[in-house]
Amino acid sequence: MFFLVALMFCSFMLWGQGIEDMVQQPGSGNDYLLKHLSVSVKASTLGGGLEVATTLSEQFNLRLAGNYLKTGQNFTFTILDLDASLRLGSLTLLADWHPGGRDKLFHLTGGLLYSFNEIELKGKSAKSYRVGGYTITPDDLGDLTMKLFTRKINPYLGLGFGQVVPTNRVSFKFELGTVFHGEPKVDMDASGMIVRTGEQGDLVASNMSGYKFWPVMSMQLCFRIF
Amino acid sequence: MKTKKILSFLMAALVAGSLLLVPGCKKTPVDDVKLIIDFSMIKTQIGVTMVDAKTGHQIQTGNPEIKIEGQNKNLVMDISGRDNIKVVNGLASLTLRANANPSSANPVKFIVIGTADGYLSTSQSVTVNEHGGYSVVLRLVKLNDLPPGVSGVVDNTDIITGGDGSVLNEAIITAPVVVSTGTSASLTIRKGTVIRDANGNPLSGTIYTTLVYFTNQDDEAMQSFPGGFNNTVILNDGSEADVTFFTAGFLAITMTDASGNAAKTFDPPLEVYMEIPEQTIDHEGNPITSGMEIPLWSYDEATGVWQQEPENAQVQQSSGRGVFYAEFEIDHLSWWNLDWFVNSCYIGATIIIEKTGCAADNSVYLELRRENGDYLAGYYLWLNDGPNPINLMWVPQNTSANLFIKPDYYSDPFAFLFIDDLCDGTYTIEIEFTDNLVPVYGLFVGLCPNNPDIELRPSGYGWYSKANSWWWNTAFVWNGEVSICLEQNTWYTFGTVFDGVWYQYDFYIDQTQYIFEMEMGPDFCDDF
């Protein structure tokens, strides 16, 4: 559904104005695009990023960005210390639509995100255990590893305030959006005495099935090049 | 313009809605997920069952115990991981330590010695040449309920010694005649003989003597032979050898004083008279005759090793009864054994058993007998569907034999194979089980009350039986999994021993796949 809406949004943009018209108004062709080029630094829930953007027409901007974020968190799973590492990497190709025209800050955004995300949970016991006369060391017990995967290509929708290609030299832009990456897939692996079962994988996938959206809040500082 | 407003509103609502959805997902990836821990540290299981040699029932009373001796005894421990091997209901589970890496080139060899009050001690040699499951059955002779082929005198009080440990009057103690062979045995202790314990202290007062005589013609008697007939022994030149015994009969003799001190040595030696059944065949297939010499062996109960005595016993024939007999002197107490021997091969002939159908505990009992019917060896073997290649081990060289395949030790054979040379060649036999049994897969899940997020998948030697049956089949549970053949719509009792605790569960079987949930004891769970 979300994907369809994003496609509809993009189609609407192209249908409403026509790409050829966009790049030829109000200037002439590639010159116009180059003269309305900006770069931005941004901080968002997709990570830190750099973005280049250009104006397609009075109402439309086109943006290409790269984002990266690495973070981690520790928590426990019964007798295991779980080390969760989150590496978010993405490329976004987005279009801003300013319904009120270029001089209005409010815009709607749609496009696609190509994901390089890697989410991994690795669990290992921090201590040894006694079972009968056996001493089971953390190495004997082994590791439990869970990797979560999402789709590579995902639709994005958002809304925000600000011009990505400043009228003057600099502008500030704020945006809220969401990436629809669908239900994450889970890949589990275990070593030592820890057993991996299909049922466990299904349960982890079920636990994560509600995480179909990745919320995006971004702030960016935009610089007009020409 | 209106279209733009509607579209803007819809987009904003969609974004806001999806943002609101995310905080609603409060689950972590591992909610309700259980951590499953197997017992892969156990790579070898050796189940030991102590049974009464006559009845076949497990020895549940009389404080049954086992100890491990032999060259690799330090590599063997209780399956609980402890040094102290605990026997419950006559059952024990053993395993090898982590540093044991058994192979054909470097097998782990040890001896399991079983004792119980009111029973004669016995033992079995075990060779582990690869990780896996092994079964040992110790058949102990109950002194007040002797099996066929065995006769004895228990706690005879004819011997009385003075304060210096010397016997006051000559005594002759005779075991009753064994009905099946018409043979018997006796010992004579002369007046003045000094009886001492293992520390050299004299025994005084009434001496309680037990003399048990085993013939070589009854299976129950033969199966009680300490160590089995394939053994690593010490020859009379001091060297070790792997041999197969061909026995002419054997004796167990014990003496204790009123305080329970056991007699060990005699000065001068005791005189033993032992009759030999006329059906006896020597190691080369010759019938027993007067003038034959038979090596004499004594058994070290502490180490489970047979030691050849310096002198052989000479076979004679009585002029009166016409029976064959041998006379010899013994200066210490143990088991005594008249045995010819031949060198044995470690890896013998290959037997390929092609199995179809479903058998109780998927095992068969292989019984090797000489062509004259004398018992040579017996093994339990667990079978998979299809071809099951096995190698005979520690079997006599240059010897032919009949291999009988039985459902279990007590049943009649249903297949038979003649083996021309026990140490060479490949022999194939097909067997089909037609019992009304169905393969059942079971998964044993151990739960810890103190940590419900953990599931244990234990490994252990298991025993199971139909409800109210005395006969226990055996099965190996590896990491919680077991496949056995059971009768449908029937109650079964399953049990296992871990660290001296008998875990028993009753299940009604009416399906072919089960998950058995069991609450595990503190020995498993306390540390979690």
Side-chain angles (χ1 to χ4, degrees):
Chain A
M1 175 65 186
F2 201 94
F3 189 70
L4 283 175
V5 172
L7 283 177
M8 284 169 56
F9 178 78
C10 294
S11 303
F12 173 80
M13 290 190 305
L14 298 176
W15 166 76
Q17 301 295 324
I19 189 69
E20 197 171 324
D21 291 345
M22 289 180 208
V23 298
Q24 288 180 352
Q25 288 181 23
S28 61
N30 293 339
D31 283 353
Y32 176 83
L33 293 178
L34 289 174
K35 286 178 180 174
H36 294 80
L37 197 62
S38 74
V39 293
S40 306
V41 290
K42 59 193 291 189
S44 77
T45 52
L46 292 172
L50 284 174
E51 186 172 83
V52 292
T54 188
T55 298
L56 295 177
S57 71
E58 274 298 310
Q59 292 184 323
F60 285 89
N61 296 320
L62 189 65
R63 302 152 54 190
L64 177 66
N67 309 285
Y68 182 76
L69 172 68
K70 184 177 181 183
T71 185
Q73 189 181 350
N74 295 319
F75 57 99
T76 60
F77 167 42
T78 180
I79 59 170
L80 300 182
D81 292 335
L82 274 185
D83 177 17
S85 72
L86 186 71
R87 280 193 296 173
L88 299 181
S90 60
L91 286 174
T92 55
L93 181 62
L94 306 175
D96 292 345
W97 173 41
H98 292 258
R102 182 169 164 73
D103 53 341
K104 301 293 183 189
L105 295 179
F106 175 75
H107 65 83
L108 296 171
T109 301
L112 296 173
L113 175 144
Y114 187 86
S115 170
F116 304 99
N117 293 348
E118 282 186 22
I119 303 171
E120 184 178 275
L121 291 86
K122 194 160 191 173
K124 195 176 183 74
S125 173
K127 63 170 227 179
S128 296
Y129 295 89
R130 300 276 304 173
V131 175
Y134 296 98
T135 299
I136 299 171
T137 65
D139 284 342
D140 294 334
L141 192 62
D143 300 329
L144 179 68
T145 307
M146 286 180 267
K147 288 182 178 174
L148 276 64
F149 301 95
T150 57
R151 278 195 310 252
K152 285 290 180 194
I153 298 174
N154 307 286
Y156 170 87
L157 285 176
L159 53 87
F161 297 90
Q163 274 289 356
V164 72
V165 182
T167 309
N168 300 314
R169 277 294 171 199
V170 180
S171 68
F172 177 79
K173 185 172 176 300
F174 174 79
E175 190 172 310
L176 288 174
T178 184
V179 178
F180 180 69
H181 53 62
E183 291 184 11
K185 300 274 188 297
V186 178
D187 188 6
M188 287 185 73
D189 199 8
S191 65
M193 295 168 65
I194 297 174
V195 178
R196 176 188 65 84
T197 67
E199 291 82 0
Q200 284 174 312
D202 292 345
L203 194 51
V204 173
S206 169
N207 288 337
M208 300 306 293
S209 63
Y211 293 87
K212 295 172 185 169
F213 304 95
W214 184 261
V216 178
M217 183 176 76
S218 77
M219 289 175 285
Q220 63 189 98
L221 204 54
C222 314
F223 304 92
R224 181 167 176 161
I225 298 175
F226 300 109
Chain B
M1 192 63 186
K2 191 177 178 184
T3 305
K4 287 180 179 178
K5 280 185 177 176
I6 292 170
L7 190 58
S8 299
F9 175 78
L10 285 175
M11 295 283 291
L14 193 57
V15 170
S18 62
L19 289 175
L20 286 172
L21 273 177
V22 173
C25 307
K26 289 179 180 171
K27 283 193 170 179
T28 74
V30 292
D31 281 358
D32 302 323
V33 176
K34 290 187 184 297
L35 181 66
I36 301 172
I37 300 172
D38 70 18
F39 273 44
S40 48
M41 73 279 197
I42 296 174
K43 297 183 175 70
T44 293
Q45 298 181 40
I46 304 136
V48 181
T49 309
M50 298 173 69
V51 301
D52 184 300
K54 182 178 182 182
T55 66
H57 292 197
Q58 291 163 227
I59 299 173
Q60 302 195 17
T61 58
N63 189 31
E65 292 182 347
I66 64 170
K67 72 170 184 172
I68 306 300
E69 291 293 343
Q71 68 183 70
N72 297 127
K73 66 178 182 180
N74 293 331
L75 294 177
V76 183
M77 63 179 176
D78 192 271
I79 203 165
S80 66
R82 299 190 198 282
D83 294 334
N84 184 21
I85 296 169
K86 295 178 180 172
V87 179
V88 183
N89 297 335
L91 310 171
S93 290
L94 313 177
T95 189
L96 301 182
R97 295 183 192 280
N99 58 335
N101 292 300
S103 65
S104 295
N106 291 297
V108 174
K109 296 171 69 176
F110 58 94
I111 298 164
V112 183
I113 301 172
T115 59
D117 297 340
Y119 288 84
L120 285 174
S121 167
T122 192
S123 64
Q124 274 291 320
S125 301
V126 180
T127 301
V128 177
N129 59 358
E130 61 179 345
H131 285 303
Y134 297 82
S135 180
V136 176
V137 180
L138 296 174
R139 293 189 169 82
L140 280 72
V141 169
K142 194 174 190 178
L143 290 171
N144 60 12
D145 189 16
L146 298 172
V150 183
S151 72
V153 181
V154 179
D155 288 340
N156 176 287
T157 55
D158 290 352
I159 302 173
I160 298 173
T161 59
D164 61 351
S166 62
V167 174
L168 299 179
N169 294 298
E170 180 177 286
I172 300 173
I173 299 168
T174 303
V177 171
V178 172
V179 176
S180 59
T181 58
T183 54
S184 176
S186 65
L187 65 84
T188 302
I189 187 163
R190 281 171 281 192
K191 180 180 177 182
T193 301
V194 178
I195 304 175
R196 291 189 172 88
D197 67 13
N199 297 318
N201 302 313
L203 269 60
S204 60
T206 301
I207 304 298
Y208 297 87
T209 303
T210 295
L211 167 67
V212 182
Y213 165 65
F214 296 74
T215 70
N216 60 359
Q217 297 298 310
D218 290 273
D219 280 358
E220 288 85 350
M222 297 281 274
Q223 298 275 1
S224 306
F225 186 84
F229 290 110
N230 302 296
N231 264 305
T232 300
V233 300
I234 299 173
L235 301 177
N236 55 14
D237 62 3
S239 64
E240 278 193 1
D242 296 319
V243 304
T244 298
F245 284 138
F246 295 88
T247 189
F250 48 103
L251 293 170
I253 307 168
T254 63
M255 291 185 189
T256 58
D257 65 12
S259 304
N261 299 311
K264 187 64 184 173
T265 62
F266 305 91
D267 185 17
L270 305 181
E271 294 170 0
V272 174
Y273 167 86
M274 190 168 136
E275 293 177 346
I276 302 167
E278 61 185 356
Q279 303 92 330
T280 300
I281 304 289
D282 77 358
H283 59 303
E284 293 172 335
N286 305 308
I288 189 84
T289 58
S290 182
M292 275 183 167
E293 288 199 353
I294 309 176
L296 176 64
W297 305 80
S298 64
Y299 179 68
D300 186 335
E301 290 185 72
T303 61
V305 175
W306 285 101
Q307 161 89 50
Q308 187 182 15
E309 295 295 309
E311 302 292 333
N312 292 342
Q314 187 149 6
V315 177
Q316 302 177 63
Q317 190 167 20
S318 69
S319 54
R321 292 171 56 209
V323 297
F324 296 100
Y325 67 93
E327 289 180 309
F328 50 91
E329 293 187 336
I330 60 174
D331 60 4
H332 63 279
L333 280 193
S334 77
W335 290 72
W336 288 83
N337 169 26
L338 289 174
D339 264 292
W340 296 280
F341 66 97
V342 297
N343 289 330
S344 52
C345 56
Y346 165 40
I347 301 290
T350 301
I351 311 294
I352 299 173
I353 299 177
E354 300 259 8
K355 175 229 169 193
T356 54
C358 209
D361 70 15
N362 270 329
S363 74
V364 289
Y365 184 71
L366 306 182
E367 201 167 73
L368 277 177
R369 289 183 180 275
R370 298 171 73 186
E371 290 185 73
N372 69 346
D374 285 356
Y375 173 85
L376 269 178
Y379 322 86
Y380 274 100
L381 176 69
W382 274 261
L383 298 175
N384 299 311
D385 286 335
N388 293 268
I390 61 150
N391 285 105
L392 299 177
M393 294 176 65
W394 303 119
V395 284
Q397 295 177 5
N398 305 315
T399 304
S400 59
N402 292 318
L403 177 72
F404 296 93
I405 303 177
K406 303 161 72 173
D408 56 65
Y409 170 73
Y410 295 95
S411 301
D412 293 330
F414 57 79
F416 155 84
L417 186 67
F418 175 73
I419 300 173
D420 190 43
D421 183 348
L422 289 173
C423 287
D424 193 27
T426 299
Y427 303 83
T428 301
I429 188 166
E430 294 179 3
I431 57 175
E432 181 182 3
F433 293 99
T434 55
D435 298 339
N436 186 29
L437 302 176
V438 179
V440 174
Y441 168 83
L443 177 65
F444 287 90
V445 175
L447 303 176
C448 288
N450 54 321
N451 190 339
D453 293 332
I454 285 184
E455 272 187 19
L456 299 176
R457 301 278 173 88
S459 292
Y461 193 79
W463 289 265
Y464 66 95
S465 72
K466 281 198 215 177
N468 304 318
S469 167
W470 66 270
W471 175 253
W472 289 80
N473 292 295
T474 54
F476 296 102
V477 179
W478 295 102
N479 300 318
E481 295 183 295
V482 64
S483 291
I484 48 180
C485 292
L486 300 175
E487 209 171 295
Q488 292 288 295
N489 304 312
T490 305
W491 279 97
Y492 278 88
T493 299
F494 296 83
T496 192
V497 173
F498 190 86
D499 206 14
V501 178
W502 171 250
Y503 294 86
Q504 180 172 311
Y505 307 90
D506 295 327
F507 296 103
Y508 185 73
I509 301 298
D510 57 358
Q511 300 170 43
T512 56
Q513 292 204 337
Y514 283 92
I515 295 177
F516 302 118
E517 291 195 340
M518 310 175 298
E519 188 171 297
M520 306 299 278
D523 226 23
F524 289 90
C525 293
D526 267 4
D527 220 15
F528 290 123

